[in-house]
Amino acid sequence: MSITTIQLKQVLRNRRFILFTILLPGIWYLFMIKVIAPAVPHNGKYQIGLLLLALLMGIIGNSIVTFSKRISGGKQFYLLQSHISHYSIWRYMLTQLVSQLIVNFLITAIIISLAVGLRSVTFTSINLLSILLINILGIYLSIIGFTIGIVFDAPTVDAGGTPIMFILMFFIIPWNSFYITNGFAKFFTVIQKLFPCYYIYANINHFTVNNLIMFSVTFIITILPFIILIYYKLKK
């Protein structure tokens, strides 16, 4: 049995995974579609925005709450392996990211199935591209989760994972896409432009190649500090 298969079984047996990545985003999305959306003016862009946000909720929950704790709990074994065998910590991270990619696709499939059942979204080419970019962003978030797991011990990750998840949510909610234009929303929108998630929503409103380029550039620039932190942490 491969390491990836073992990891996937561990994930699917984790109650925190079911709660934070499936149930909460699903219930939130159902509430928004059935209760909030009918009460406010909206269009197809608003609907896909809700779907992407539900996907992000699930992927962040997976990456920050469950993944970081799993890394923190098992890192000592793999750190030892990296010193006594050819199984490097970078290979360990790559294996974990493959598992995360599979899990994130599973989350995506479940939430999209809910959207299809509710008939709430039209799957245009731009919408499908946005969903793909969300899953690429999942790799980004998983590297952050991996860093948290490597740097901090299990009790700290357990206590801080959920608050960190909610803090990150403030930075990924597309405030301007939901027609919120107060000072708070404008402030966070300026900050969001420094991170790749902003350009996914920007593509929904107005698709341009420049948005894709900025997604790639901000992805690389903002993930580098976490890669460097892992490197220096492992050098100790």
Side-chain angles (χ1 to χ4, degrees):
M1 185 179 295
S2 68
I3 294 176
T4 300
T5 303
I6 294 172
Q7 291 166 350
L8 288 174
K9 286 186 175 182
Q10 290 175 342
V11 170
L12 296 177
R13 291 171 182 168
N14 190 331
R15 293 180 181 178
R16 290 163 64 95
F17 169 79
I18 301 298
L19 174 63
F20 285 103
T21 67
I22 303 296
L23 290 181
L24 286 182
I27 292 171
W28 178 87
Y29 182 69
L30 182 62
F31 174 78
M32 293 298 292
I33 292 298
K34 289 297 186 180
V35 179
I36 302 299
V40 298
H42 64 275
N43 52 28
K45 294 178 181 179
Y46 184 88
Q47 298 279 29
I48 188 63
L50 290 178
L51 176 62
L52 295 182
L53 194 51
L55 292 176
L56 275 172
M57 289 174 64
I59 289 173
I60 286 180
N62 175 42
S63 302
I64 304 302
V65 178
T66 60
F67 182 54
S68 60
K69 184 179 179 181
R70 190 167 77 249
I71 295 300
S72 183
K75 66 183 175 184
Q76 294 302 328
F77 171 77
Y78 288 100
L79 286 172
L80 176 62
Q81 288 293 312
S82 69
H83 287 92
I84 65 175
S85 71
H86 296 294
Y87 191 85
S88 70
I89 197 68
W90 300 109
R91 183 180 173 188
Y92 171 51
M93 184 175 77
L94 180 61
T95 303
Q96 293 286 348
L97 290 179
V98 170
S99 299
Q100 283 294 99
L101 191 60
I102 295 172
V103 171
N104 288 339
F105 276 130
L106 175 62
I107 295 168
T108 300
I110 293 173
I111 300 297
I112 286 179
S113 296
L114 178 59
V116 170
L118 294 171
R119 298 180 180 179
S120 56
V121 175
T122 301
F123 293 101
T124 65
S125 57
I126 293 178
N127 290 350
L128 292 173
L129 175 62
S130 300
I131 292 170
L132 176 62
L133 291 176
I134 287 290
N135 279 273
I136 294 174
L137 189 69
I139 299 173
Y140 174 94
L141 293 168
S142 294
I143 293 174
I144 295 175
F146 186 88
T147 307
I148 293 172
I150 288 293
V151 172
F152 299 103
D153 58 27
T156 303
V157 172
D158 196 30
T162 302
I164 291 173
M165 181 187 76
F166 285 112
I167 291 171
L168 284 175
M169 287 298 297
F170 276 102
F171 289 93
I172 68 167
I173 292 174
W175 303 102
N176 59 340
S177 296
F178 293 135
Y179 311 111
I180 302 173
T181 57
N182 57 33
F184 172 84
K186 290 180 180 179
F187 170 74
F188 270 96
T189 298
V190 171
I191 296 176
Q192 285 175 333
K193 291 181 180 180
L194 302 174
F195 300 95
C197 186
Y198 173 84
Y199 299 96
I200 298 177
Y201 286 100
N203 262 338
I204 296 174
N205 295 320
H206 181 61
F207 177 80
T208 65
V209 174
N210 184 64
N211 283 333
L212 294 179
I213 293 173
M214 288 303 299
F215 174 85
S216 303
V217 170
T218 54
F219 184 109
I220 294 170
I221 291 175
T222 55
I223 205 61
L224 276 177
F226 295 97
I227 300 293
I228 294 171
L229 182 58
I230 294 172
Y231 174 76
Y232 279 103
K233 180 68 176 178
L234 296 178
K235 281 187 67 176
K236 294 182 179 180

